[in-house]
Amino acid sequence: MSILSEEMFFIDNQRSTLEECHKILEFLGYYEVALGQMINKEKTTLFFSKNTEESFQVAIQVTLQVPAICHYDKYVGLPSFVGRNRTACFTKIKERIWARMQGWKEKLLSQAGKEVMIETVVQSIPIYSMNVFKLPMGLCKDIEAMIRKF
């Protein structure tokens, strides 16, 4: 029997009721029976919107038997929330690319070697994030500028 992990439920009291929580538990029960997998409640968390009442949060936590978190930085390696300042959310990508390129400057690479390193390593770093989010144009231009300077 396998266990599913790292589940995160987003709860907004405008759309959620305790009856819906019971339905979620019912469907998860069907899922566990049908596929032989169990939800790992130790790795499952709830995140409530800021307009969710405290009493409603407690009721949902008790119903689902899952803890709540206040702030969730990353989920599966990506930011869980992208606010108005999208560039700040994705600065880690730029920093990772910069760190990789700094290590290469010390090595003596030919022009062809630099191009291969850029194509295989630098351009692959933002691909996972780009599959989920539309990256800000400013960030893309900054990455292009770093590649050109290299």
Side-chain angles (χ1 to χ4, degrees), residues 85-138:
N85 191 358
R86 294 176 57 83
T87 306
C89 292
F90 298 108
T91 54
K92 292 271 188 208
I93 295 171
K94 187 176 168 183
E95 291 169 1
R96 284 181 55 205
I97 291 171
W98 180 252
R100 288 284 174 107
M101 292 171 71
Q102 290 304 306
W104 297 338
K105 284 188 177 182
E106 297 168 4
K107 298 177 182 174
L108 298 174
L109 295 173
S110 66
Q111 182 65 29
K114 288 181 181 181
E115 289 178 22
V116 168
M117 293 293 267
I118 287 170
E119 287 177 10
T120 58
V121 179
V122 172
Q123 291 178 348
S124 68
I125 290 174
I127 286 177
Y128 178 62
S129 299
M130 293 170 90
N131 284 324
V132 179
F133 297 107
K134 184 176 181 182
L135 296 182
M137 283 302 288

Side-chain angles (χ1 to χ4, degrees), residues 29-84:
Y30 293 146
Y31 178 86
E32 290 174 352
V33 170
L35 297 177
Q37 295 180 330
M38 292 178 56
I39 302 298
N40 188 344
K41 291 190 178 186
E42 293 176 5
K43 294 184 178 179
T44 303
T45 56
L46 296 169
F47 183 85
F48 294 96
S49 66
K50 55 186 164 188
N51 60 346
T52 306
E53 297 173 16
E54 186 77 29
S55 61
F56 191 66
Q57 290 181 19
V58 172
I60 290 176
Q61 288 179 48
V62 169
T63 302
L64 295 177
Q65 299 174 352
V66 174
I69 55 168
C70 296
H71 183 65
Y72 208 98
D73 285 335
K74 287 190 172 191
Y75 181 69
V76 197
L78 295 173
S80 57
F81 299 105
V82 178
R84 293 178 190 228

